[in-house]
Amino acid sequence: MSLLYRFAATCLLLLSALPAAAHDTDTRWEAIRPADQRVRWQAEGLTAPPQMAESFTSPLGYRLERYLWKAQKPGGSFAIAVLRDLSEDDHYLSGPVDLIKFATAVLKGLEAPKPQVSEPKDVKVATLNGPVLSRRFNLGTRQCVALGFYAQPQGNGSQARAAKDEPLAEGSLRLDGVYCATAGQPLTADQVLAYAAGVKLTSRKE
């Protein structure tokens, strides 16, 4: 079973992390054209465009986008990102997000069954997106990091920095991702900082 196929199947688990309004049964995923892809990720081993980019827009107005940068060689690095946009119908995502629970959901069936946490708590990383929370973990012989941040509550396409450099606690736009380094290779603190800063979120929509 291919990585892309298993990713497509297991990413449906993310719908359970959305508000109740997101639990529709008639989900329909559509490919996102390269020009309309809102998430870019500059990190070691990742191609410029993702190998998979799909979206789902609900009649209620929320939008879910998922991206996959698959390994270019056996055991190579890969990344997954999920963008949740609830700005069209005044929905909001609020409160803390369990980054390890997120990582477990998107990685189930792809690699080791469960991430093994290597950091006791989330770490705040300063980036051009504003503060990003990160959490490192091991996945078999891989070292990985999960990260996530909110964009400003109004979701008007720009990204606001939170007051006093603290992560925003809520918003209508939420991005979470997982990056896993090449099997057997270390993932240093400097790399985590660079990869967190390498996530680019644009305002372009289909």
Side-chain angles (χ1 to χ4, degrees):
M1 189 179 296
S2 70
L3 181 65
L4 285 172
Y5 177 84
R6 288 178 289 181
F7 171 73
T10 58
C11 240
L12 290 174
L13 294 172
L14 287 168
L15 292 174
S16 64
L18 288 168
H23 290 273
D24 294 313
T25 57
D26 57 340
T27 59
R28 181 168 176 256
W29 292 90
E30 296 182 347
I32 305 174
R33 296 175 298 176
D36 296 317
Q37 293 172 9
R38 287 191 286 174
V39 180
R40 308 286 190 270
W41 201 338
Q42 297 175 355
E44 184 179 355
L46 303 186
T47 58
Q51 279 76 28
M52 172 185 277
E54 292 185 325
S55 70
F56 165 68
T57 302
S58 163
L60 295 176
Y62 72 85
R63 180 181 173 93
L64 186 67
E65 298 181 13
R66 58 190 183 186
Y67 299 81
L68 170 66
W69 294 262
K70 66 179 181 178
Q72 297 302 297
K73 59 182 179 180
S77 59
F78 68 90
I80 297 168
V82 175
L83 177 64
R84 287 172 277 184
D85 183 350
L86 284 78
S87 61
E88 296 303 319
D89 195 34
D90 201 30
H91 295 295
Y92 291 91
L93 295 161
S94 62
V97 170
D98 188 328
L99 293 176
I100 296 302
K101 184 176 180 180
F102 166 81
T104 300
V106 297
L107 292 168
K108 185 176 181 182
L110 299 184
E111 294 280 338
K114 281 189 177 181
Q116 301 299 312
V117 178
S118 57
E119 283 183 318
K121 61 182 181 179
D122 294 347
V123 176
K124 183 176 67 176
V125 179
T127 76
L128 293 176
N129 295 319
V132 173
L133 292 179
S134 68
R135 188 87 177 271
R136 297 174 68 176
F137 63 92
N138 295 322
L139 196 68
T141 61
R142 295 181 187 274
Q143 293 186 19
C144 307
V145 62
L147 57 85
F149 64 91
Y150 288 97
Q152 63 180 6
Q154 297 306 313
N156 65 358
S158 61
Q159 297 174 63
R161 289 183 180 273
K164 299 180 181 178
D165 289 329
E166 290 299 321
L168 288 168
E170 65 178 14
S172 56
L173 199 64
R174 171 80 191 190
L175 179 69
D176 294 280
V178 168
Y179 173 86
C180 287
T182 298
Q185 296 297 313
L187 183 60
T188 68
D190 287 343
Q191 287 175 314
V192 169
L193 174 60
Y195 300 162
V199 176
K200 310 296 182 183
L201 179 59
T202 74
S203 61
R204 187 183 297 276
K205 294 184 180 181
E206 291 181 354

